[in-house]
């Protein structure tokens, strides 16, 4: 059976003043024409000062490397040199040794203070601490930062190079919430991790920090960690360091942050940074000093006791300086990211009352943490699957492990058994019954299938041979298939669904080979729609209009009937339409993400769905447009 595969796994229009300013005066540039078309003088830099006299020639460095980067592109440090790296000089990138006058001797540390100093502090005192922790020849260029090249499914590297930096900054900074659409989330993640050049006028490290920030707010902590790791730690600024720590902590990978923590030293003085310094010292072999630092932090009450004790226990696991640290949760009233991730990394059981009604952050973090027991991870995984963080295959893997663990009983064991039957039962009716049991629709508990369960059963639904015998379940089966992008499997039900049914509507939107949709079918769907304010019908009309599958006249008629105006304009609609006009897929994806923020589909409007699907279709992202439109109808 042929199946399509895709890469990857509201409308909040109160934009910042900078974005409003760009909307008023900025313009977009087609990828084929990299020069900016902003008004003359808008982005002209201030006149450069007159050049200083050339310095005398420096002595030869004996043929040593000049600090050239390992990949193409040039930065301000010279041809092929990463930003922040100067050519020539010390091949180790060390700071110059300090000079002392006789009056400085009084400031030298005593022997006792020297004994207490760490290796890093001694190196800094003596001017031996390098600014970079890797040799010049191994440093990477920052001309392109990201995980996916165009050949690997990423978007074109130069997509944002000629776009106004203030526009890109405002769009990324304005994306503060998760997206209502799972497929929108997957599309935005793809855009954010693509190997991209920074917009002209924006430092690459700032561009990386902004992208990592959006990924963290989406719950994509592993992707954010991978993105920041594509930048040498010597080039990190304060913003990128902050986003990196967020990603490392959420991933329970505290030691992974140590290269940056050790390299930056005392540049920050907040309690979390101080505890991270002690943890990193312990895993660098300075266990006694790390214990002393954390004991002092405990005595000085720099942070809640539980946070310091967790750090002390984590640090104590390093080397031969292990010590018993008792963790008591009795007086702990709430979670925070630090204690949640450290407890998971240490394999500690947190009180159930702390885990009740946890925010989505903890569910996303726990769903992808390898040290979290299967039972707990399953409780977190549904939220991650609904958002798009976990794929259908990941959910199948999780429940397969639960099924294989005979110590797990109760509801989880029942659910895992049902999933097995959904895939392996010999009778199609038994497989459908198992799926409906997972969806919550078997006994009439739910009218609409639970969406995370639909994600989990996507490939099982595709294994059901289309037949009129099971037509009454076609809408639920097709909706499940489309969570994994199985559009051709869904389209195989075309001759077995009634015109105007949910299954018909989903196929009309998702089928890659579909032509114009039946106007009578849309009318029939509207007539049987029992969603609030006919939301599903409005999404169907808007999606078909955006995909070009009904005429503009038909769209106008349905819009009038359903009380929305697809021609209404705002700054956001003008910008996403303009980005599509100049064929900039990356900017369309970012603007689509900006317009899909919200907790659920009630925050989405038909107007936004129309412009998003239309823009995505025009820039070659029609597959994503079809999946987003179908999801809107299935979940609306």
């Amino acid at each position: 059976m042929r199946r399509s595969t895709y890469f990857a796994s509201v409308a909040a229009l109160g934009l910042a003043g900078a974005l409003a300013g760009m909307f008023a005066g900025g313009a977009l540039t087609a990828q084929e024409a990299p020069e900016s078309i902003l008004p003359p003088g808008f982005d002209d830099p201030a006149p450069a000062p007159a050049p200083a006299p050339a310095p005398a020639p420096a002595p030869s460095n004996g043929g040593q490397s000049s600090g050239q980067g390992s990949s193409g592109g040039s930065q301000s440090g010279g041809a092929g040199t990463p930003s922040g790296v100067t050519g020539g000089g010390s091949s180790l990138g060390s700071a110059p040794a300090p000079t002392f006058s006789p009056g400085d001797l009084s400031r030298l540390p005593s022997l006792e203070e020297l004994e207490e100093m760490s290796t890093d502090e001694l190196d800094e005192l003596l001017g031996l601490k390098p600014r970079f922790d890797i040799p010049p020849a191994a440093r990477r260029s920052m001309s392109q930062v990201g995980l996916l090249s165009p050949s690997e499914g990423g978007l074109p590297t130069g997509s944002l190079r000629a776009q106004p930096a203030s526009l890109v900054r405002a769009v990324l900074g304005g994306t503060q919430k998760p997206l209502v659409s799972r497929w929108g989330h997957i599309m935005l993640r793809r855009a954010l991790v693509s190997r991209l050049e920074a917009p002209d006028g924006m430092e690459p490290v700032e561009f990386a920090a902004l992208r990592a920030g959006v990924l963290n707010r989406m719950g994509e902590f592993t992707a954010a960690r991978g993105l920041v790791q594509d930048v040498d730690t010597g080039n990190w600024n304060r913003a990128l360091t902050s986003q990196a720590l967020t990603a490392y902590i959420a991933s329970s990978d505290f030691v992974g942050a140590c290269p940056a923590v050790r390299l930056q030293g005392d540049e920050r003085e907040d309690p979390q940074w101080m505890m991270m310094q002690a943890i990193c010292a312990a895993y660098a072999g300075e266990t006694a000093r790390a214990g002393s630092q954390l004991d002092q932090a405990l005595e000085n009450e720099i942070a809640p006791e539980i946070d310091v004790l967790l750090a002390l226990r984590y640090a104590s696991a390093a080397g031969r300086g292990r010590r018993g640290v008792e963790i008591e949760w009795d007086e702990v009233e709430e979670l925070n990211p630090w204690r949640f991730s450290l407890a998971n990394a240490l394999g500690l059981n947190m009180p159930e009352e702390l885990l009740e009604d946890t925010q989505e952050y903890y569910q996303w973090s726990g769903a992808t943490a390898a040290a979290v027991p299967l039972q707990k991870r399953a409780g977190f995984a549904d939220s991650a699957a609904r958002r798009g963080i976990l794929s259908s295959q990941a959910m199948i893997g999780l429940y397969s492990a639960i099924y294989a663990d005979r110590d797990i009983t109760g509801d989880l064991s029942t659910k895992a058994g049902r999933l097995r039957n959904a895939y392996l039962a010999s009778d199609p009716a038994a497989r459908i019954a198992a799926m409906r049991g997972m969806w919550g629709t078997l006994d009439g508990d739910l009218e609409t299938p639970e969406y995370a369960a639909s994600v989990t059963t996507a490939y099982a639904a595709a294994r059901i041979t289309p037949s009129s015998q099971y037509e009454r379940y076609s809408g639920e089966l097709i909706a499940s298939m489309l969570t994994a992008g199985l559009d051709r499997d869904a389209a195989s039900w075309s001759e077995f669904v009634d015109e105007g049914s949910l299954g018909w509507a989903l196929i009309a939107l998702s089928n890659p080979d579909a032509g114009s949709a039946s106007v009578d079918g849309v009318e029939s769907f509207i007539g049987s729609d029992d969603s609030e304010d006919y939301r599903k019908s409005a999404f169907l009309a808007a999606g078909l209009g955006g995909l070009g599958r009904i005429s503009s006249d038909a769209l106008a008629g349905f819009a009038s009937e359903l009380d929305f105006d697809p021609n209404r304009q705002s700054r956001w609609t003008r910008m996403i339409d303009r980005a599509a006009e100049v064929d900039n897929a990356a900017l369309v994806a970012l603007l689509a993400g900006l317009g899909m923020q919200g907790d659920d589909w009630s925050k989405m409007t038909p107007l936004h769905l129309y412009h998003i699907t239309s823009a995505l279709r025009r820039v070659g992202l029609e597959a994503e447009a079809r999946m987003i439109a179908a999801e809107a109808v299935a979940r609306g």
Side-chain angles (χ1 to χ4, degrees), residues 310-321:
L310 287 166
L312 184 56
R313 180 154 174 175
Y314 191 90
S316 297
R320 289 179 288 182

Side-chain angles (χ1 to χ4, degrees), residues 55 61 111 132 189 200 309 328 339 366 378 449-450 488 548 565:
N61 64 0
L111 288 176
F132 281 80
R189 177 180 62 203
D200 290 340
L309 288 174
E328 298 287 349
R339 61 189 64 151
E450 204 286 317
R488 295 195 183 278
D565 180 8

Side-chain angles (χ1 to χ4, degrees), residues 36-72:
S36 175
I37 57 171
L38 289 171
F42 183 86
D43 58 353
D44 291 342
S60 170
N61 64 0
Q64 293 294 322
S65 168
S66 64
Q68 212 166 10
S70 60
S71 60

